[in-house]
Amino acid sequence: MFGKIKMKIKGYFREESGQAMVFASLLMTVLLGFAALAIDLGYGYHQKSDLQTAADAAALATASQMPGNTNARLRSIGKEYATKNLDDTDDTTITVNLDRSAGKVEIVIRQRAKNFFSGIFSKDKRYVTASATSKSVAQWDGEVLPFLNLAGGYEPGTTFNVWDKVSSGDFGSISNYEIMNSRDPFKIFFKVDYMNGVELKKGKVATIKQEIGWIFNQNRNHVYILCVRQDVCDSGKVLLTNGTYRNLAKTKNKDVVDPSQIVLVECKFVAYSEKSKSLTLYSEAVYDINSNEFPPDYDCPGVSGAKLIK
């Protein structure tokens, strides 16, 4: 009798031991599945971060070089910078979307997800995507056409003329400017140290007609010119840096107009004649640079800058 009981007890434990082994095997499979998922998810976060870093860098680099480059060149720059910043480029697609009118660049990077373990459970391809949008920006720092409008009449929506005489007289020209990128017709521009005043140049000026023509041919969205404040024009007198006032109609060569007397006008080209040295502009906006008002969407060939906006 005791023998039968002993045999039943041994059989019961053998049965429980078998069940435990089955349960342990199932539990091990589940745990391995979770471990595989955790490893793949962890790498997925790393992969996503890698793509985002590359997209951000490519968007900034491309937008900063938008002035003076063709669309084809910008797409090449975007793909080049994205590739340089990727840890892995296998099964990767890089798309560069351009919106030149808004100065925006979007970089989209799509890459196959790396399934080290979870691929055992599913053969479907998964992809990781990252995108970044950047805008071309720069801070205005004195880039203007080399003239000072002394006559006023430049309120937004107005067409006005500068440099419209062909004999000796007042051309509205100035002396204290630099020609930047002077040998490149696509990136040339003028820069004025306006903070120290604007020095007038009286008389016939013909030495920069080619450079003005190059800027005209750039087909830029905006150009800029310094103008004497309208209230100063209305008064008929302008303050010079030496502390004296000069009748606007009697300004002299090398008179230096005090920076407090000027504003910055954002314009578009209307017409330019190299032969007659006649330049017509259309005023779009006026900025009081003495109150730190500057063009929010400043653009100029050769001046780079960009910020991420998305």
Side-chain angles (χ1 to χ4, degrees):
M1 180 176 178
F2 288 109
K4 290 181 179 180
I5 294 173
K6 186 176 181 181
M7 290 293 293
K8 286 182 178 181
I9 292 173
K10 287 183 177 180
Y12 173 78
F13 280 110
R14 280 198 297 270
E15 184 178 340
E16 287 294 309
S17 176
Q19 291 177 354
M21 290 181 65
V22 171
F23 179 75
S25 297
L26 290 173
L27 181 61
M28 182 64 70
T29 301
V30 172
L31 291 175
L32 286 173
F34 277 118
L37 183 61
I39 292 172
D40 282 358
L41 283 175
Y43 188 83
Y45 284 120
H46 166 76
Q47 187 177 11
K48 174 73 173 180
S49 177
D50 179 45
L51 297 190
Q52 192 62 59
T53 298
D56 290 349
L60 285 169
T62 308
S64 69
Q65 297 187 55
M66 183 170 282
N69 281 302
T70 65
N71 287 353
R73 176 57 184 150
L74 290 173
R75 290 190 175 92
S76 176
I77 291 171
K79 292 180 179 181
E80 177 184 348
Y81 272 84
T83 302
K84 284 182 178 179
N85 285 278
L86 287 172
D87 292 339
D88 184 7
T89 57
D90 289 342
D91 204 349
T92 301
T93 302
I94 300 169
T95 304
V96 181
N97 298 316
L98 303 173
D99 183 353
R100 293 200 80 112
S101 62
K104 294 180 181 178
V105 174
E106 181 190 40
I107 304 292
V108 181
I109 305 177
R110 186 172 183 263
Q111 188 177 81
R112 184 178 179 181
K114 302 296 189 293
N115 298 325
F116 296 100
F117 297 102
S118 57
I120 298 172
F121 305 101
S122 175
K123 299 299 182 182
D124 294 337
K125 290 184 179 182
R126 294 190 305 108
Y127 288 86
V128 180
T129 302
S131 65
T133 303
S134 185
K135 182 176 175 61
S136 176
V137 296
Q139 176 63 60
W140 184 81
D141 64 347
E143 185 266 309
V144 289
L145 298 175
F147 309 101
L148 177 65
N149 176 17
L150 299 169
Y154 49 77
E155 60 272 12
T158 300
T159 298
F160 62 103
N161 297 321
V162 294
W163 204 26
D164 57 356
K165 295 182 180 179
V166 292
S167 59
S168 61
D170 182 4
F171 287 78
S173 301
I174 60 177
S175 297
N176 55 326
Y177 62 80
E178 292 182 79
I179 303 179
M180 315 302 292
N181 306 319
S182 60
R183 297 183 179 181
D184 189 338
F186 300 102
K187 293 184 178 182
I188 188 172
F189 65 96
F190 294 89
K191 185 174 178 180
V192 176
D193 180 16
Y194 69 97
M195 291 297 293
N196 291 312
V198 179
E199 184 176 335
L200 301 180
K201 185 171 186 178
K202 297 291 185 172
K204 189 174 180 180
V205 181
T207 57
I208 55 174
K209 60 183 181 180
Q210 173 181 265
E211 288 79 358
I212 298 295
W214 285 353
I215 294 175
F216 179 77
N217 290 329
Q218 287 171 3
N219 295 317
R220 290 168 52 183
N221 291 327
H222 308 291
V223 289
Y224 306 89
I225 188 170
L226 295 173
C227 298
V228 173
R229 292 196 339 248
Q230 189 61 54
D231 62 314
V232 174
C233 292
D234 294 341
S235 73
K237 293 183 179 181
V238 63
L239 176 66
L240 305 181
T241 55
N242 62 10
T244 65
Y245 283 87
R246 182 85 71 190
N247 188 305
L248 279 169
K250 297 181 179 181
T251 52
K252 299 179 179 181
N253 192 43
K254 297 189 177 180
D255 276 349
V256 182
V257 176
D258 192 88
S260 66
Q261 307 291 284
I262 60 178
V263 293
L264 177 68
V265 180
E266 182 176 278
C267 309
K268 283 187 176 180
F269 277 117
V270 175
Y272 170 66
S273 170
E274 182 174 313
K275 182 178 180 180
S276 64
K277 295 179 286 298
S278 175
L279 178 61
T280 305
L281 302 172
Y282 176 80
S283 173
E284 294 185 301
V286 179
Y287 302 97
D288 184 359
I289 52 180
N290 293 289
S291 298
N292 293 317
E293 291 183 4
F294 300 104
D297 296 315
Y298 170 69
D299 82 284
C300 172
V303 178
S304 63
K307 65 177 180 180
L308 286 173
I309 58 175
K310 186 178 179 182

